[in-house]
Amino acid sequence: MKLSDILTIIASIIIFGLTLFISGRLINTSCFNWLDYMIMFGSLFGNLGINILSALGK
């Protein structure tokens, strides 16, 4: 595995953890906003998809 692949995996794990942390904080508040969830998970899965495709070399 190349160093760039390892860094891509680490970045994906960090973004996933950040998304879980933010969504956990938002669940405990009384302010529920679907737009925040769509932006968080859209950016998470978009970034994961780009990182997976770049790791595969496509």
Side-chain angles (χ1 to χ4, degrees), residues 1-2 11-14 16 24 28 30 32 36 38 40 46 49 54-55:
M1 252 180 138
K2 296 188 299 187
S12 299
I13 291 170
I14 289 172
F16 182 67
N28 291 332
S30 61
F32 184 82
D36 291 337
M38 289 189 316
M40 277 190 307
S54 68

Side-chain angles (χ1 to χ4, degrees), residues 1-54:
M1 252 180 138
K2 296 188 299 187
L3 179 62
S4 62
D5 295 339
I6 295 170
L7 293 175
T8 300
I9 292 170
I10 291 171
S12 299
I13 291 170
I14 289 172
I15 290 173
F16 182 67
L18 181 64
T19 302
L20 289 179
F21 173 72
I22 291 174
S23 62
R25 286 190 53 187
L26 288 175
I27 288 172
N28 291 332
T29 63
S30 61
C31 181
F32 184 82
N33 191 355
W34 278 106
L35 183 62
D36 291 337
Y37 285 106
M38 289 189 316
I39 290 171
M40 277 190 307
F41 287 106
S43 63
L44 169 70
F45 292 119
N47 188 13
L48 284 173
I50 290 170
N51 288 336
I52 289 171
L53 288 176
S54 68

